[in-house]
Amino acid sequence: VVGFLGIFMGGLTDKYGARLVLSICGLLAGIGYLLMSQINEFWQLYLFYGVLIGTGNSNFSALMSTIARLYVERRGLITGIVTVGVGIGSLLVPPLANQLMMAYDWRTSFVVIGIITLVVLILSAQFLQRYEIKAESFTQITEKSAIRTVALEAQALSFPRAIITRQFWIIFLMFFCLGFTVLTVQVHLVPYITDINISPSTAANILAAIGGSSILGRIVLGGLGDKFGNRSAFIIGFILIAVPILCLVFATEI
């Protein structure tokens, strides 16, 4: 759901701006979390978590396109800094959710998370404005950067032409492999940890550690992309994913 609706949300962002898209996503995700507190049937899990919360999580294309419109110089580093928010959320939310469930129960925890989601996402979305990249808007930076911006815009492809290029589908397949491997491991990580007799609360902390380490990784790889090219950053990033996944096969201790 997240993947396919990301296309739709990206198109809405182009037409109406990120503020509307982020508001819709925040509303749907918040309602989804609130409804999760009331589930009694299996199909409700698919609908509330898979569809509603999944739709809410498809806001990434709106955020990334907004960053691309706003920044040209050091775009990789800026993108890394902005997406650090994902790492901070991954660092804070698992222990928070674990504490909520220990103090109350899972239904109450979903209500609290739903309210936080509604308030934070919808309110923060109101600060977004729509910006269009125009060559003349960069003339105040430096003459060199303005010339480079004009050159990049001259090479830009229309949507129909872009989706038939080899490079587009290579990047598509790269992100498919990234999502398939990382999310598959994360989904099965907590059950695996508990199967080797490590407590669920510790498992939640390991998920938080993933988010914490990604904070540094996003900034460093974003900066490397600006300096040495995004190809090098991709190669380093995929190596840093592949090697630990292979090592995880042999992991038996905390």
Side-chain angles (χ1 to χ4, degrees):
V1 171
V2 174
F4 286 108
L5 284 175
I7 302 172
F8 178 68
M9 292 300 177
L12 280 182
T13 304
D14 291 333
K15 190 169 184 179
Y16 299 107
R19 178 188 298 175
L20 176 64
V21 172
L22 266 295
S23 298
I24 293 173
C25 289
L27 179 64
L28 292 176
I31 291 174
Y33 281 118
L34 291 174
L35 290 174
M36 279 294 295
S37 67
Q38 305 300 315
I39 63 170
N40 295 297
E41 301 288 342
F42 197 67
W43 64 267
Q44 295 172 330
L45 186 64
Y46 276 105
L47 177 61
F48 301 153
Y49 201 93
V51 177
L52 289 179
I53 297 176
T55 304
N57 288 336
S58 65
N59 57 38
F60 211 68
S61 57
L63 292 172
M64 293 302 98
S65 63
T66 300
I67 296 169
R69 287 185 172 94
L70 284 173
Y71 302 100
V72 175
E73 293 296 305
R74 309 295 296 275
R75 181 177 286 166
L77 178 60
I78 293 294
T79 302
I81 292 172
V82 171
T83 56
V84 158
V86 178
I88 295 175
S90 301
L91 177 64
L92 298 179
V93 171
L96 171 64
N98 184 61
Q99 291 299 318
L100 281 172
M101 285 187 286
M102 291 176 62
Y104 303 100
D105 55 46
W106 64 269
R107 292 185 185 273
T108 304
S109 300
F110 270 119
V111 172
V112 174
I113 293 173
I115 293 173
I116 293 174
T117 301
L118 284 170
V119 173
V120 173
L121 286 185
I122 295 178
L123 283 182
S124 60
Q126 307 315 307
F127 291 93
L128 292 171
Q129 298 184 34
R130 187 174 184 179
Y131 294 92
E132 298 294 342
I133 296 179
K134 297 180 180 179
E136 60 267 20
S137 64
F138 299 104
T139 54
Q140 296 179 353
I141 303 174
T142 63
E143 184 180 353
K144 180 180 178 181
S145 65
I147 293 173
R148 193 177 75 172
T149 301
V150 174
L152 287 172
E153 289 188 343
Q155 298 172 12
L157 297 177
S158 64
F159 176 72
R161 291 181 62 192
I163 62 174
I164 62 173
T165 61
R166 178 173 57 90
Q167 293 89 339
F168 177 90
W169 290 107
I170 288 175
I171 294 174
F172 178 90
L173 289 173
M174 288 168 62
F175 275 102
F176 170 81
C177 293
L178 175 67
F180 184 85
T181 53
V182 173
L183 294 180
T184 298
V185 170
Q186 287 190 356
V187 164
H188 293 282
L189 190 59
V190 172
Y192 173 68
I193 293 170
T194 54
D195 283 347
I196 57 176
N197 298 319
I198 296 175
S199 69
S201 60
T202 303
N205 291 334
I206 293 175
L207 287 178
I210 295 173
S213 62
S214 75
I215 294 173
L216 178 62
R218 292 169 194 273
I219 296 175
V220 172
L221 288 179
L224 286 176
D226 289 329
K227 191 169 184 179
F228 300 107
N230 289 321
R231 178 184 296 177
S232 299
F234 266 123
I235 291 172
I236 294 170
F238 277 112
I239 290 173
L240 290 173
I241 291 171
V243 173
I245 286 178
L246 290 173
C247 296
L248 193 60
V249 176
F250 306 100
T252 58
E253 299 179 5
I254 187 62

